[in-house]
Amino acid sequence: MRLKIVLNGEDNIFFPIEYNSILQSFIYTHLNSVLAQELHNTGYKYKNKRFKLFVFSRLFGAYKIVKTSIYFKKSISFFISSPVKEI
């Protein structure tokens, strides 16, 4: 499964340069709460390792970097991919 998420704003959208944790939090917040809690706390076990089984891309869109922030011009998109349908 692969989703393209597109977010549009009336004004520029800005993030800190290190925005990965913000996107990860956005994804967990918008999943079913039981699934989100299971993924975050347990994940999928294989031998002695645990996997979350989803990935997300960087943000796409016209942007400008100013000091420690990245400013997008009114629209951003990113992808979420997972072999788990429920995600």
Side-chain angles (χ1 to χ4, degrees):
M1 176 273 317
R2 185 171 187 186
L3 294 173
K4 180 179 182 181
I5 308 294
V6 179
L7 303 171
N8 296 304
E10 293 180 14
D11 294 318
N12 289 340
I13 304 165
F14 71 94
F15 288 91
I17 294 281
E18 312 251 343
Y19 58 76
N20 282 347
S21 62
I22 294 170
L23 284 184
Q24 185 178 14
S25 175
F26 175 86
I27 294 166
Y28 279 120
T29 300
H30 289 86
L31 288 174
N32 170 291
S33 61
V34 173
L35 176 61
Q37 196 166 17
E38 264 182 46
L39 275 177
H40 185 268
N41 296 336
T42 308
Y44 293 89
K45 296 177 187 178
Y46 178 73
K47 297 187 179 178
N48 291 333
K49 296 186 179 187
R50 295 171 190 247
F51 300 92
K52 306 301 181 185
L53 291 186
F54 73 89
V55 295
F56 56 92
S57 69
R58 64 182 180 88
L59 293 173
F60 296 98
Y63 67 90
K64 175 174 70 172
I65 296 175
V66 179
K67 295 186 181 182
T68 60
S69 296
I70 183 167
Y71 291 81
F72 290 91
K73 294 186 179 178
K74 298 186 181 183
S75 179
I76 57 174
S77 62
F78 66 97
F79 293 91
I80 302 170
S81 299
S82 175
V84 181
K85 282 185 176 183
E86 294 78 21
I87 292 176

